[in-house]
Each structure stands twice: as C-alpha cells, then as structure tokens.
Amino acid sequence: MRSAARRFPSPATKLLGRRDELADVGSALETHRLVNIVAPAGMGKTRLALEAGQRFGHRFTTGTAFADLSTLD
C-alpha cells in the first residue's frame, strides 16, 4: 500500500486558521468514508481537503487518494 502523502499533491502553502474546520472534517471521517466540503469558490476547500487527507488518511486501511475534479464541467 502506498502512503497517503505520496498520493496527494504537495500543497503550495501552509494551512492557516482552519483548526475548527479541520477538526470537523476529522470528526466526520470517523464515521463516514466520504465527506463533502461545500463552500463558495475561493474559500480553500481544496486546501482543506488536502490537509485532511494527509492528516487523517492513516485511519483507512487502503489509504486515501485525491481526485481533482476541477477540470470537469
């Protein structure tokens, strides 16, 4: 099994000021395999998802992966 860190793109910036949101995603991942992060454009959804995947990916025996859907219409 590959590690979650290798299956995620490297973020260009540090995650700042999202402690509560990251904790919420972590809590949701304790009972759900799929979590949707919904917010207006430019609010940092992708950055939050990348951080959550890297921090909480160890909870899943098959790891985690990032699926970039930004190119879809």
Side-chain angles (χ1 to χ4, degrees):
M1 174 180 69
R2 290 183 285 172
S3 72
R6 286 187 278 161
R7 297 174 76 182
F8 277 74
S10 297
T13 61
K14 289 181 102 176
L15 184 69
L16 299 174
R18 289 301 188 91
R19 186 180 334 158
D20 293 342
E21 291 89 346
L22 191 57
D24 289 344
V25 172
S27 293
L29 288 170
E30 289 180 7
T31 55
H32 299 84
R33 291 182 55 179
L34 176 65
V35 174
N36 292 314
I37 300 172
V38 181
M43 297 298 290
K45 297 177 299 291
T46 300
R47 183 65 187 88
L48 180 62
L50 288 173
E51 190 71 25
Q54 289 178 338
R55 288 194 187 188
F56 305 119
H58 67 278
R59 296 180 181 177
F60 301 96
T61 57
T62 56
T64 56
F66 176 73
D68 184 3
L69 304 178
S70 65
T71 59
L72 299 178
D73 289 329

